[in-house]
Amino acid sequence: MVAENAVKMVDGTIAESRIVSWVRGQRYLNDQRHGLTLRDWAAMATPHDGLVIERSFP
């Protein structure tokens, strides 16, 4: 993800700063430790094994 976005930045295809995150789903969290929950911004990853989420950088 880092290399891909670095190339996009060099090529000028990224117009603004952003945060790119790989987020694991709730099933993965449950397997690690009981009681872990996803933050609000990552909740869309809940049913998936993993999801790439892009957010604006403040």
Side-chain angles (χ1 to χ4, degrees), residues 2-58:
V2 172
E4 183 178 319
N5 283 287
V7 169
K8 288 180 182 179
M9 186 182 78
V10 170
D11 288 344
T13 59
I14 295 178
E16 62 183 31
S17 296
R18 60 193 175 148
I19 300 169
V20 180
S21 304
W22 169 254
V23 181
R24 299 297 301 256
Q26 188 63 48
R27 183 175 42 219
Y28 176 82
L29 296 179
N30 292 345
D31 289 345
Q32 301 310 306
R33 191 172 86 188
H34 182 70
L36 295 176
T37 59
L38 292 164
R39 294 185 181 212
D40 292 340
W41 63 266
M44 66 183 78
T46 299
H48 303 283
D49 289 332
L51 196 63
V52 175
I53 297 175
E54 295 186 23
R55 301 176 283 145
S56 295
F57 185 75

